[in-house]
Structure formats: C-alpha cells, structure tokens
Amino acid sequence: MNHTDEEAYAALRGCDMAPNKTAQKLLLQGAQNAWDMLSEEQSQKHITTGSGSLNDILGGGIHCKEVTEIGGVPGVGKTQLGIQLAINVQIPVDYGGLGGKAVYIDTEGSFMVERVYQIAEGCISDIMEYFPCHHDKASSGQENLQPESFLAGIYYFRICSYTEQIAVINYLEKFLGEHKDVRIVIIDSVTFHFRQDFEDLALRTRVLSGLSLKLMKLSKAYNLAVTAGPIRAQID
C-alpha cells in the first residue's frame, strides 16, 4: 500500500460510515408515513435556477433535503449555474425565495467574484421588475437588496487537493451547526482532484460513495440543498 492509498483509507474512515446517535434515534422512532412524506415534499420551497424551463424539468427548481448531481462537458455552464444558485438562494422570503445563505466549495478555481457580482445585480434587477409594488412597500428589505449583501452571504472554500476536499466535507457538519441560515451547499466539482490524483479506481469509488452518503445525510439533517457535479467518477 502506497502513501496515497494510506491517506485515502484514513480519509474514508473519517467519512464516519457508521450510524451516529442521531441516525439511530431516527431509526428507533419508526417508519415515516408515506402521505406525510408527500405533504412535506409538496410544502418545501425550491431554489429557482433562474430558468423557467429548467425549473420545470427539476420539478420547481433545486430541492432541499436532496443532493442534485450536475453533469456535462466542460463549458456547458455548470459553474455558472452553481454561482446562480448561490445568489438565488438568498432571495428574500418576501419575494418568493428562501432568504438563506450558501456554501461554495471550489475545487477547480473557476469561481470569479466579478461574475458573482454581475449575477447578483441581475437577480436584484429581476426582483425589482417582478415585484415593483411589493418592493416599494417592503422598505425594510431594501437594504438587503444590494450586490454586496449577496456576496457576503456566500461562504467560500478553495480546495487544492482531494484530502482538503474530504476534510472540508467532514467539517461541514460543525460549520452548518454554527450557520443554520445556510440553505445550499455547492461543490464545483466533486471529482476534479480524484480524477487527477487517484490510480486505484476501486478505492476512488469507495471514497466518493462515502462522501456522497455524507452529503445526503447533511442535506436531510439541515434541510438544505446540495448540488455537486459530478459525484460519480469517470474512468479516464
């Protein structure tokens, strides 16, 4: 076993695959009623993608308590969509949004603050266009409708290796417990460092599966959306 494999196995153990006390408590409470599950799903608000057609395909937008995998060839717009979601999740509740904040985990260095600012300006412009009368009445919310406020609502992590990525995802539970207003976690992208640094494909699949389970648990425990692209590693 080489040094890389040892690090990977250690990281995989850090994913905490064993059920924790919270999960055991939920299991002991018994099965959930399917009707209640449907009612809960229908009552959930979604995070708009900014595209009506894409929202329709996704059943209203990006769902909370779910992990949404975003795939596509380079240049198709995955990063653009991730930034858009980091802005849209912050749309105030008075204007049909969630009024939450975002965690953006950047593994490729493609996050551009100037572009984020432009998208925030566009989002504010759309709000002003679609809710002109409501905006005039809700003067208390006008102070939050500034590009600077939207940028301040994005917690940014720059990742330079797969070990840093695993460490940050393991740290998310503590971070989300301290920042309960976070409603979306965006990872752009999950497999970037794993494709470059991993030679053991079986081990890579196990580690990525562990991270995927961790993200699903976090999305349900903290009622937030997770978007990641893509989670399943491609064989080069």
Side-chain angles (χ1 to χ4, degrees):
M1 182 184 295
N2 58 36
H3 181 64
T4 300
D5 290 343
E6 290 177 354
E7 286 184 340
Y9 278 116
L12 183 59
R13 288 195 297 271
C15 287
D16 189 19
M17 301 291 289
N20 56 28
K21 292 182 179 180
T22 303
Q24 292 173 348
K25 183 178 179 181
L26 289 174
L27 288 173
L28 292 175
Q29 290 175 351
Q32 187 177 3
N33 182 287
W35 174 252
D36 290 340
M37 292 173 62
L38 178 62
S39 300
E40 180 181 349
E41 182 176 330
Q42 291 177 338
S43 66
Q44 283 277 357
K45 287 188 176 181
H46 304 109
I47 304 169
T48 178
T49 63
S51 167
S53 299
L54 185 54
N55 285 341
D56 291 339
I57 292 173
L58 295 171
I62 300 296
H63 298 237
C64 291
K65 292 190 175 184
E66 292 184 6
V67 176
T68 302
E69 184 177 358
I70 301 174
V73 298
V76 76
K78 300 185 295 295
T79 297
Q80 171 82 10
L81 178 58
I83 294 174
Q84 186 74 61
L85 292 171
I87 294 296
N88 290 351
V89 73
Q90 300 183 61
I91 297 174
V93 176
D94 290 341
Y95 301 102
L98 298 186
K101 293 185 178 180
V103 168
Y104 199 105
I105 301 174
D106 180 13
T107 67
E108 302 185 28
S110 54
F111 185 89
M112 296 181 293
V113 178
E114 295 82 1
R115 185 59 182 146
V116 180
Y117 193 93
Q118 293 171 355
I119 292 176
E121 287 183 318
C123 179
I124 294 169
S125 177
D126 288 342
I127 291 174
M128 298 290 287
E129 179 181 352
Y130 289 111
F131 300 93
C133 297
H134 185 66
H135 179 74
D136 292 338
K137 295 178 181 178
S139 57
S140 59
Q142 293 184 23
E143 295 180 358
N144 294 326
L145 292 179
Q146 302 294 331
E148 294 81 2
S149 298
F150 282 86
L151 267 65
I154 301 175
Y155 300 109
Y156 177 78
F157 294 87
R158 177 69 174 101
I159 302 301
C160 297
S161 69
Y162 73 86
T163 52
E164 287 184 6
Q165 181 175 328
I166 293 172
V168 167
I169 292 177
N170 285 332
Y171 170 66
L172 274 180
E173 185 166 8
K174 181 177 185 297
F175 185 87
L176 294 172
E178 297 171 350
H179 299 81
K180 298 186 182 299
D181 50 356
V182 171
R183 300 305 302 277
I184 188 169
V185 173
I186 301 150
I187 308 176
D188 183 22
S189 64
V190 170
T191 59
F192 179 74
H193 292 296
F194 288 91
R195 289 198 305 267
Q196 295 185 0
D197 302 335
F198 257 78
E199 296 181 0
D200 188 334
L201 299 183
L203 177 58
R204 181 173 70 176
T205 299
R206 288 184 58 197
V207 174
L208 288 172
S209 296
L211 294 179
S212 178
L213 289 172
K214 182 86 173 182
L215 292 170
M216 285 189 284
K217 287 169 58 179
L218 292 174
S219 69
K220 295 182 183 299
Y222 293 95
N223 188 26
L224 53 83
V226 175
T227 63
I231 293 178
R232 289 165 292 183
Q234 300 174 355
I235 299 177
D236 299 325

